[in-house]
Every structure is written in structure tokens, then in C-alpha cells.
Amino acid sequence: MDKNTIFDQLGLNDQDLQSDFMTDGDHAVTSPIDGAELARVKTTPPDEVDRMIAKSVDVQRAWRKLTPPQRGEVIRRFGDELRAHKDALGGLVTLETGKILEEGKGEVQEMIDICDFALGLSRQLYGLTIASERPGHRMMETWHPLGVVGCITAFNFPVAVWSWNFCIAAVCGNTMVWKPSEKTPLTAIACKRLLGRAAAACGFDVPSNLLQVVVGAQEAGARMVENRDVALVSATGSTRMGCEIAPRVAGRMGRYLLELGGNNAAIVAPTADLDLTVRGIAFAAVGTAGQRCTTLRRVIAHETIYDALLTRLKAAYDSVPIGNPLEDGNLVGPIIDGRSFQSMQAALSRAIDEGGRVHGGERVLETEYPGAYYVKPAIAEMPSQTGVVKEETFAPILYTMRYSDFTDAIAMQNDVPQGLSSCVFTNDLREAELFVSDEGSDCGLANVNIGPSGAEIGGAFGGEKDTGGGRESGSDAWRAYMRRQTNTINFSTELPLAQGISFDVG
């Protein structure tokens, strides 16, 4: 499927979207596959961001009047649009991010799954009935929409992470202003088009502009962060970005939901199934060219199986097909740009300076794709958990280290600033249970005998420490997009006071 076919199927060539986003565009969108320009889009002026937020406030007042099942119906139809256009949108994800086509389509499947989840949730926004100490009184807890949600997303998952936020926020009665990465605005524009089709297909009036898309970089995001009408800012990106957003939103008493850096580890115990372990490590460390927040970046292997594991990992790395992600058979596409390549090379140089031995990491296919950055995934054997190991480098680098005592391995896994995802490969029940206990992993995600990536939408996604503490997607993450209200109803003719207080005035 070529670019023009993808654009046609997703409505990116429709006149209204052309005039809104692409006519006289000043921002070039290029593909990391070959460096070619995909399109030019209009940058949203900062003042226009404020106007879009004000419009979202008005739209939300109408949207919240629809029943939650009606809102769920809009999301159901959005899921149908995604099913019908899975190949096209998955192809666009690949064009913009460079991830292999299988992963691009998988990201769209994740959107479909969260639509199904949100549809069911639209009939399960449960509160509580609470026992009152006062006769003739009833207490209950109800949940109400926040208003406008601002969503800032990163390039590596340009649509899935947004959908976690939007689909849940929408059935909860909120509208959204979305600023995608400036590297991947086309997928956002396509999602707006598909959502519009879904809303138009409903048998009832759906307010327009449930979703508005902001195209721009840091300044556009800053306007969302600072605007008091944005009740919640949900942001995915670096820890540095989160440290800038959090105090600014808190300073105006707003809410924020942050999904920031990860530095995810796998502990490999002596009893691990090495066939399973090698496959799990390879997918988690190499998939998406090492550009997931849940990418496996550290292996902490027991000294008795370390050498055998490393031999097999190096062989697996040498066999991984690297190339154009649109072509069948390739498992690793390019990293996003030259800046990321330089960051990777700097980290590998530091690893060597800190006593490491590096296998791989060089640029490949430079002759075929001079405007792109394909690299061989790297393994860096480290003498210990040095400074560079404790930092997240958003590239396919896997640091490997030894351990002798399992509790020391857990301490090493936890001894980094980030706290997103983690895993252990073991067939020892005690080790597995210890790892997921209070004394085990300090991350938001902790897995046994699977890698740290590939989370399902049914569970709450997010992490601790420098990862930001936010939770998105499944479980009770919906509560982040609502405000809680406690109600007390007196259906008696008396006015007893709580705590038995007497306050007679007449």
C-alpha cells in the first residue's frame, strides 16, 4: 500500500482537512524510513490553541448531556472505522515512525481493543452507596466529567497512547485537545477524520469538535499546560518534559497524568527457560528499534547462566533482519532521526569508557538510505550498573550484568530513577512471588516469564518514581478523567447532625 492510497483511504486528501491542516503548510513531515517528505502541515499558532480550548469548553457542555451509553456508541463506531481502516492507518504509523508494518497494525489493534473496553465502561461508571450514621439519610458517591482534557503524545506510539486517553475520557463526558509529536502529526489528523465519520454515523446528534488537533512543538504544548480551562493534562514523553509540566499545572491547581521515562530490567534466574527467555528478551529489547517506553534496557542474569545466555543473545541479535519496515521479513526498522543516532553513539561510547564491551550498535544500510538511520541493535556487557546504565537512552541498547544473590538482583533492578516496567524469568515459585511482592519490583508493571513490553489494555498502564506515577488504559484508570462527588440526601423530617453534635438555635 503506497502513500497516496493510504492518504485516500484515511481522508487525508479530503478538501476540508486539506484546508484545515495541509494547505500552505509550513511544517514538513518526513519519514524515518528514507528521509523523504510525506506532507507539509500547518503549525497551529499559539493564540489559536487558546481558541481551540475555549471551543472545547463549549462542546463539552453539550457532550456531557449525552448519556454515557450514547457516548459509548460514538466510541463503538469509531472502533468500527478503525477496523475498516486498520491496514491504512497501520501503514501510516509505519510511514511516520519507522516501526515495522506488523507493529503499526498492532498499534491500531490496540486502539480497537480500547474502543471495546471503553464501550463496556460506558455502562459501568459506578459510584458507591455509603452507610450514613444519621437516620433518614443516604450517602452516595458519584462521578462527573472533568471538562477539557489536554493530551500530549510522543512519536513512538503516535495513536495507541492517545486512544487510551481519548476513548476513556470521552465516555466519561470530556472533550479533548490533542498535541501529537511534531514528528507524527499525520496519524493524529487521520484519527480526527475517522472519529468524525464515526460521529456522523450515529443516529443522534453528536457535538462536533469532540477532538481538536494542535500541530506544533513545545510552545503549543505550553499553551495547553498553562490554560486554566484544561482540567487535566495527560502527557507522554521524557522525564525532563514531565518535570517542566508538573509544577506549571500544579501551580494553577490543575491535574496532570504523566507517562515518562523507563529503564526496564529483566532478571534471569538459574532456573529460567532459556529458549523462552531469549525470545522474550529479543522482542522486548529490539522491537520498535528500542524506542518503546517499555523497551528492555537491562538484563541482570545469574552468574551461572550468564555466559550461555549472552552467547545465545548475540546469535539472536546477529540474525535479526534490519531494513525497510514496509517490506515483509524485516523485524527492525530505522530509529527516528539523526539526533537519536548521535545519542545512541554517545551512550555506547560512555559504556566503553565505563568498562563495557559493545557488540553491535553501528549504522547500517547507509548507502541505500542516506537520509535515514538504520542501526544494528547493541549489547553492552557491563562490569556493574554504572552511570550510563542508569540513564534511559531511547535506542536499541541492551546492558547486561551478572548477579549471584536474588535479593541483590532485585535491589539492582530497583536502583535506577525510573520505575515503569520490569520482569523476571524463573521457574522458582518463591523467586516469582518475591518479585511481585512488597519486597520485589518497585515498578508500575512487574511480569513473570514475559518481557516488560506488550502490556494489554485491560490493566492500568504506568509507573513510579521518575516515570511520573500516572495510570492510563484499563482497570480503574477512568477515574483520572472524572471528579468525585460525595452526596448526602436527607429524606426524613428531622435534621440530626453528624458526630451526634447538638446545635439548637430555636
Side-chain angles (χ1 to χ4, degrees):
M1 187 181 296
D2 60 22
K3 185 189 83 168
N4 290 332
T5 302
I6 289 172
F7 277 31
D8 285 339
Q9 291 191 11
L10 296 175
L12 292 177
N13 290 327
D14 291 357
Q15 190 58 46
D16 56 344
L17 276 189
Q18 287 284 324
S19 60
D20 284 346
F21 291 103
M22 298 184 187
T23 304
D24 301 323
D26 59 335
H27 175 64
V29 183
T30 59
S31 175
I33 295 173
D34 55 9
E37 184 175 300
L38 295 172
R40 286 186 173 268
V41 297
K42 291 180 180 178
T43 301
T44 307
D47 289 345
E48 180 61 20
V49 176
D50 293 333
R51 287 190 287 271
M52 294 167 74
I53 293 169
K55 183 185 294 184
S56 285
V57 171
D58 292 337
V59 173
Q60 194 270 335
R61 293 184 180 125
W63 176 241
R64 70 187 180 190
K65 292 180 181 179
L66 272 63
T67 64
Q70 285 178 308
R71 300 177 209 142
E73 174 65 6
V74 176
I75 299 303
R76 183 188 73 80
R77 291 183 179 272
F78 179 48
D80 288 344
E81 291 290 333
L82 293 171
R83 287 179 175 89
H85 297 88
K86 179 178 176 179
D87 288 351
L89 186 55
L92 185 58
V93 169
T94 293
L95 285 175
E96 278 201 304
T97 68
K99 64 174 64 175
I100 62 172
L101 190 56
E102 190 71 15
E103 290 190 72
K105 293 178 182 179
E107 186 167 347
V108 181
Q109 183 60 50
E110 195 162 331
M111 301 174 74
I112 294 168
D113 294 342
I114 201 67
C115 286
D116 289 347
F117 184 91
L119 172 62
L121 179 65
S122 69
R123 295 179 181 270
Q124 300 180 78
L125 299 173
Y126 300 140
L128 297 172
T129 296
I130 305 167
S132 174
E133 67 185 64
R134 289 170 282 186
H137 286 59
R138 178 168 66 90
M139 291 179 65
M140 64 180 183
E141 182 178 273
T142 53
W143 294 85
H144 305 279
L146 286 176
V148 177
V149 174
C151 190
I152 300 171
T153 55
F155 78 87
N156 58 328
F157 279 85
V159 288
V161 173
W162 162 77
S163 70
W164 297 349
N165 283 271
F166 175 76
C167 294
I168 304 299
V171 298
C172 289
N174 304 289
T175 53
M176 179 171 284
V177 179
W178 175 19
K179 195 203 83 65
S181 167
E182 62 272 23
K183 295 180 174 70
T184 56
L186 298 178
T187 43
I189 296 167
C191 287
K192 179 178 172 63
R193 162 59 70 190
L194 295 179
L195 178 65
R197 291 177 182 171
C202 291
F204 51 88
D205 290 336
V206 178
S208 59
N209 291 307
L210 295 178
L211 171 70
Q212 297 190 82
V213 174
V214 171
V215 176
Q218 185 174 355
E219 187 177 3
R223 295 299 276 258
M224 292 169 55
V225 166
E226 294 162 359
N227 193 303
R228 296 182 67 87
D229 286 331
V230 177
L232 169 70
V233 175
S234 177
T236 302
S238 67
T239 298
R240 177 194 57 77
M241 179 200 74
C243 289
E244 294 178 2
I245 288 175
R248 293 163 77 174
V249 177
R252 60 174 177 82
M253 296 300 177
R255 297 192 195 183
Y256 54 82
L257 192 166
L258 301 177
E259 298 286 1
L260 309 175
N263 193 351
N264 315 295
I267 297 174
V268 184
T271 61
D273 178 335
L274 287 189
D275 289 337
L276 181 149
T277 300
V278 169
R279 293 198 307 272
I281 288 175
F283 172 73
V286 171
T288 324
Q291 296 173 122
R292 296 191 197 104
C293 55
T294 54
T295 288
L296 180 61
R297 308 204 181 279
R298 296 177 292 144
V299 165
I300 304 165
H302 193 268
E303 58 192 9
T304 59
I305 52 92
Y306 178 91
D307 290 334
L309 176 64
L310 259 290
T311 297
R312 296 181 65 168
L313 279 177
K314 289 177 182 177
Y317 268 51
D318 288 341
S319 71
V320 170
I322 304 168
N324 189 319
L326 292 169
E327 296 176 359
D328 291 339
N330 289 326
L331 295 181
V332 177
I335 56 177
I336 192 68
D337 56 24
R339 182 177 178 182
S340 290
F341 175 73
Q342 293 301 327
S343 177
M344 178 180 182
Q345 298 311 301
L348 292 175
S349 179
R350 278 189 62 192
I352 293 170
D353 290 344
E354 294 173 7
R357 291 184 298 173
V358 173
H359 178 84
E362 66 271 18
R363 187 175 179 183
V364 297
L365 304 177
E366 186 173 1
T367 301
E368 295 93 325
Y369 301 102
Y373 291 85
Y374 293 81
V375 296
K376 184 176 180 180
I379 295 174
E381 300 177 65
M382 302 303 294
S384 63
Q385 190 155 264
T386 64
V388 71
V389 180
K390 294 186 179 184
E391 298 176 9
E392 180 189 36
T393 300
F394 219 60
I397 300 174
L398 181 66
Y399 300 105
T400 64
M401 296 155 286
R402 303 171 189 261
Y403 81 90
S404 57
D405 179 79
F406 189 72
T407 55
D408 291 341
I410 292 176
M412 187 183 300
Q413 122 83 38
N414 293 341
D415 187 27
V416 293
Q418 311 84 0
L420 178 53
S421 193
S422 58
C423 64
V424 63
F425 289 92
T426 182
N427 284 322
D428 185 317
L429 178 62
R430 289 190 174 93
E431 289 179 337
E433 290 292 339
L434 179 61
F435 186 75
V436 298
S437 75
D438 293 348
E439 300 174 61
S441 169
D442 64 358
C443 295
L445 306 171
N447 301 330
V448 177
N449 290 330
I450 60 172
S453 58
E456 298 180 32
I457 59 94
F461 180 91
E464 304 299 326
K465 303 188 297 188
D466 278 8
T467 303
R471 293 296 185 274
E472 297 170 327
S473 193
S475 185
D476 65 348
W478 62 271
R479 297 185 179 197
Y481 307 95
M482 303 197 84
R483 58 181 176 87
R484 186 196 312 247
Q485 189 175 83
T486 301
N487 312 122
T488 305
I489 301 167
N490 179 5
F491 57 90
S492 74
T493 59
E494 304 297 326
L495 192 65
L497 303 179
Q499 295 85 46
I501 292 173
S502 177
F503 196 81
D504 294 328
V505 294

